[in-house]
Amino acid sequence: MSPILDCIINKNTKKKPVWYMRQAGRYLPEFREIRKKNQDFIKLCLNDNIVPEITLQPLYRFNLDAAIIFSDILMLPHGIGQKVEFKKDFGPILDILNLEASYKITESDFLNNLKPVYKSINRVSKNKILNNKDLIGFVGAPWTLLVYILNRKSPKKKIDMGLFSDEYTIKNLFTIIDKFLKIHIKSQINNGATIIQIFDSWAGLVDHQNLEKYIYKPTLSLVEFIKSLKTPVICFPRNIKNYKEYVNFIKPDVINIDYEVNIKNILNHINIPIQGGLDPKILLSENDNIKKNALKYLNAFKDHPYIFNLGHGILPETKPETVKYLTNLVKEF
Ligand code: CP3
């Protein structure tokens, strides 16, 4: 069994497996080289010659326990016919979703729109380098996707809740998102993804009274679906205030914590396997400081099933040598 599955299923605490969010990305010169020649990001995510190569780039360099498929959470709006573009130094920009047209999208239309994603997963999963390692598929959580679909760009620290005032439209959107997320998840698993991670990057924007409606119930629906496919699911509700309540409601197999989470507190309240935590900004400092901070997590979770990762994605300014140093440090722990 792979080290990550051993940690999740058998609750093995001896080995501390490791992978990183955004491990394939702009901090790698070999990625930037490819990116320069592929200006259209969505097109790049739909190129099944290049995506497997990008996905495996970090595994050629570092002793990681998983690959995460190179894709984006915004492939879902793309798949239901909402145009998505990435503008340099700005981020994603989405057209207005034509709700009527999206009702007419069938399962086979959707699978056809995203076919290269599944082909890429299939190709990567057959690569020998993944022997005894996992291939992580992922989706955005329903709430975070709703935010992008309606706000049509990344929100700042706050979002205008007026966007969500039309209950009827919101209900219909959640139904569409749930339907196609399940299709997307199932197809990733059928093509070789061994674990699914749900990214709820904007979970922190929801106040307590709305958590059940926007976060808990829609995410629970996905988690139960993924469990029914006998596949472990990792949830990352970034900046959520009450991880304990989230875990009790949704019961994921693993919870990824952000870098603001208090380690002692989480250990007192949560008994499922934990992933992540280390602030990616720490990776911009000297090795001694990186070691000190990584050991904080490794020591605190010594007797807890723990997958080493960060509290958010690797920053583009990170040196690849730093990632190597950190990975070896975790492996030697
Ligand atoms: O982790 C990995 O290595 C897998 C690849 C991955 C990407 N996006 C590639 C990517 C994953 C898991 C994602 C998830 C994703 N995408 C999230 C959830 C995690 C998070 O960051 O909170 C979100 C919110 C998105 C949407 C998204 N995609 C944004 C906001 C941006 C722009 C950010 C920026 O810096 O401009 C992206 C683009 C993106 N997705 C890049 C990568 C490597 C950068 C693209 C580039 O080269 O310009």
Side-chain angles (χ1 to χ4, degrees):
M1 192 184 280
S2 74
I4 296 182
L5 292 180
D6 194 26
C7 172
I8 299 175
I9 296 166
N10 301 329
K11 315 283 185 281
N12 187 335
T13 60
K14 294 233 165 58
K15 278 177 262 173
K16 302 300 180 198
V18 51
W19 69 279
Y20 304 104
M21 293 184 275
R22 293 273 167 99
Q23 65 188 22
R26 285 174 294 186
Y27 74 105
L28 287 177
E30 58 270 38
F31 172 76
R32 288 199 301 270
E33 192 69 26
I34 293 179
R35 185 76 172 94
K36 236 185 358 209
K37 295 184 220 133
N38 295 270
Q39 295 287 326
D40 183 333
F41 185 72
I42 294 287
K43 255 199 195 144
L44 178 59
C45 290
L46 292 171
N47 184 326
D48 55 83
N49 284 315
I50 306 182
V51 166
E53 184 189 336
I54 297 176
T55 301
L56 292 174
Q57 280 175 348
L59 279 93
Y60 293 132
R61 279 183 180 256
F62 320 118
N63 188 7
L64 301 165
D65 292 296
I68 177 164
I69 190 68
F70 183 81
S71 187
D72 201 273
I73 63 166
L74 299 180
M75 296 315 285
L76 184 113
H78 173 82
I80 60 172
Q82 183 174 21
K83 193 169 170 223
V84 182
E85 271 182 290
F86 284 85
K87 215 165 92 185
K88 201 167 186 286
D89 303 321
F90 181 82
I93 301 179
L94 292 82
D95 275 6
I96 294 177
L97 173 70
N98 181 336
L99 203 57
E100 291 307 314
S102 72
Y103 290 142
K104 298 201 184 88
I105 303 258
T106 64
E107 173 163 356
S108 78
D109 294 334
F110 180 85
L111 289 173
N112 206 40
N113 289 346
L114 297 190
K115 198 190 256 165
V117 175
Y118 311 125
K119 263 181 142 172
S120 296
I121 292 177
N122 198 284
R123 280 185 54 198
V124 174
S125 73
K126 297 205 162 90
N127 194 299
K128 279 203 198 76
I129 199 170
L130 281 188
N131 202 349
N132 211 33
K133 295 176 192 279
D134 286 282
L135 176 54
I136 298 171
F138 68 89
V139 291
W143 162 252
T144 285
L145 287 172
L146 186 73
V147 166
Y148 279 106
I149 287 170
L150 291 175
N151 195 53
R152 297 166 48 217
K153 59 181 186 325
S154 294
K156 302 251 157 65
K157 291 228 166 346
K158 262 187 143 158
I159 191 160
D160 171 15
M161 289 310 279
L163 275 177
F164 312 100
S165 58
D166 177 2
E167 299 253 347
Y168 179 75
T169 303
I170 297 303
K171 195 165 155 259
N172 286 336
L173 273 171
F174 266 130
T175 305
I176 290 190
I177 291 170
D178 181 75
K179 173 181 164 184
F180 288 107
L181 276 178
K182 285 174 179 166
I183 293 167
H184 191 37
I185 288 167
K186 190 171 174 186
S187 189
Q188 293 186 61
I189 293 172
N190 286 345
N191 282 286
T194 54
I195 296 173
I196 298 291
Q197 177 149 331
I198 301 176
F199 287 92
D200 211 346
S201 305
W202 299 111
L205 296 177
V206 180
D207 49 25
H208 191 255
Q209 70 199 47
N210 285 318
L211 279 174
E212 188 161 323
K213 181 164 81 177
Y214 291 139
I215 306 248
Y216 296 167
K217 283 185 173 161
T219 310
L220 179 62
S221 168
L222 293 186
V223 165
E224 288 182 338
F225 177 74
I226 298 165
K227 287 181 178 174
S228 78
L229 301 175
K230 305 268 176 282
T231 304
V233 51
I234 306 171
C235 286
F236 182 22
R238 184 152 71 92
N239 286 346
I240 208 156
K241 275 118 217 132
N242 193 335
Y243 273 86
K244 181 184 174 190
E245 190 181 85
Y246 180 95
V247 166
N248 286 342
F249 201 108
I250 293 169
K251 299 190 171 57
D253 295 293
V254 181
I255 184 83
N256 191 103
I257 54 175
D258 64 72
Y259 50 82
E260 278 165 14
V261 170
N262 178 289
I263 303 176
K264 282 217 175 71
N265 217 0
I266 201 96
L267 269 172
N268 281 335
H269 290 297
I270 284 176
N271 51 28
I272 64 167
I274 293 173
Q275 172 176 282
L278 181 69
D279 188 340
K281 285 197 284 299
I282 299 284
L283 272 61
L284 306 180
S285 66
E286 297 300 314
N287 284 354
D288 284 350
N289 189 48
I290 295 169
K291 183 174 184 175
K292 191 179 90 193
N293 281 279
L295 285 176
K296 236 192 265 173
Y297 284 90
L298 288 166
N299 284 320
F301 294 116
K302 198 158 58 66
D303 301 315
H304 193 95
Y306 181 66
I307 302 165
F308 196 90
N309 202 319
L310 306 176
H312 197 197
I314 299 183
L315 296 165
E317 307 81 52
T318 309
K319 291 195 206 101
E321 299 77 54
T322 300
V323 178
K324 183 162 214 153
Y325 172 79
L326 177 62
T327 310
N328 291 340
L329 189 153
V330 177
K331 283 287 164 191
E332 283 155 21
F333 180 72

